[in-house]
């Protein structure tokens, strides 16, 4: 059984994340989308809201026989991977900046849990400039974000903005 986790903040999930996830499914039997509960950050969506949105959008993801689940976690990613019985951590790389960060994280995680391998997939070219942060900024300033994040997420962002 090849099991991986795909950890991240996912605040909110973008089509770039979904592209990485979908392209990872032929590589693993099971992937846990692991939503980081980081009390130091002020997120747009609570960890529960993020998990719920991801569960909903996963319904449209091609799985290629891979079992997809969503869980929240806090603390060390490597520890969560080990406790989940995963042998790999999936991450995405957009540009050189991501590479430097992902390399540091991968090396630290290997030191913490030598049996867990980090598997980095290159971003899809149409999403290589898409980040949760940039998408939120554009949305809050009234710009179009269609095609960059799932429709359901746009609807939830509109709800949030209405409430704010
Ligand atoms: P984190 O806070 O851990 O970086 P993110 O939710 O921002 O969490 O990202 C999770 C993973 O997805 C990271 O490896 C990040 O590089 C990758 N990622 C984010 N956006 C994209 C994208 N548009 N295309 C490919 N990978 C991406």
């Amino acid at each position: 059984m090849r099991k991986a986790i795909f950890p991240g903040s996912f605040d909110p999930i973008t089509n770039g994340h979904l592209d990485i996830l979908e392209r990872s499914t032929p590589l693993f039997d099971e992937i846990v989308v692991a939503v980081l509960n980081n009390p130091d950050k002020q997120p747009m969506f609570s960890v529960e809201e993020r998990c719920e949105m991801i569960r909903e959008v996963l319904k449209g993801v091609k799985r290629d026989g891979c079992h997809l689940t969503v869980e929240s976690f806090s603390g060390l990613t490597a520890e969560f991977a080990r406790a989940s019985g995963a042998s790999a951590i999936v991450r995405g790389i957009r540009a050189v900046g991501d590479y430097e960060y992902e390399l540091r994280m991968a090396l630290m995680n290997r030191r913490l849990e030598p049996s867990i391998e980090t598997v980095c997939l290159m971003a899809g070219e149409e999403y290589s400039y898409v980040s949760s942060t940039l998408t939120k900024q554009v949305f809050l300033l009234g710009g179009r974000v269609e095609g960059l994040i799932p429709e359901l997420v746009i609807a939830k962002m509109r709800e949030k903005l209405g409430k704010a």
Side-chain angles (χ1 to χ4, degrees):
M1 237 280 286
R2 291 162 310 162
K3 181 170 178 176
I5 65 164
F6 178 33
S9 309
F10 304 109
D11 185 43
I13 191 154
T14 69
N15 289 345
H17 291 129
L18 289 172
D19 178 60
I20 293 290
L21 184 63
E22 199 163 279
R23 284 166 42 222
S24 306
T25 57
L27 306 177
F28 299 101
D29 300 305
E30 181 176 355
I31 303 175
V32 180
V33 181
V35 181
L36 178 64
N37 191 1
N38 184 351
D40 298 339
K41 277 195 188 171
Q42 187 58 257
M44 180 179 232
F45 293 102
S46 71
V47 74
E48 294 80 18
E49 287 173 319
R50 281 178 268 159
C51 287
E52 202 182 298
M53 277 191 284
I54 297 170
R55 284 196 187 97
E56 205 50 45
V57 298
L58 284 193
K59 290 178 184 167
V61 168
K62 279 200 234 96
R63 285 143 193 265
D64 203 23
C66 177
H67 186 53
L68 295 178
T69 56
V70 183
E71 280 177 49
S72 63
F73 77 104
S74 33
L76 291 171
T77 304
E79 169 55 22
F80 178 74
R82 190 198 55 75
S84 306
S87 56
I89 296 173
V90 172
R91 298 284 289 176
I93 291 185
R94 287 162 290 190
V96 179
D98 276 353
Y99 173 76
E100 290 181 353
Y101 176 72
E102 296 298 342
L103 178 63
R104 274 185 281 131
M105 294 301 287
L107 293 174
M108 182 57 84
N109 284 333
R110 190 192 295 158
R111 185 190 164 94
L112 294 169
E113 289 295 340
S115 65
I116 295 172
E117 202 58 61
T118 297
V119 176
C120 287
L121 271 68
M122 301 305 136
E125 59 207 59
E126 65 273 50
Y127 304 121
S128 60
Y129 63 97
V130 177
S131 69
S132 302
T133 305
L134 185 57
T135 314
K136 279 186 288 193
Q137 282 170 348
V138 169
F139 178 83
L140 289 170
L141 293 170
R144 275 176 47 81
V145 291
E146 278 76 6
L148 306 181
I149 49 178
E151 287 295 325
L152 174 129
V153 175
I154 299 179
K156 294 277 176 203
M157 281 166 87
R158 285 210 185 96
E159 263 177 44
K160 279 268 166 203
L161 202 63
K163 278 185 200 158

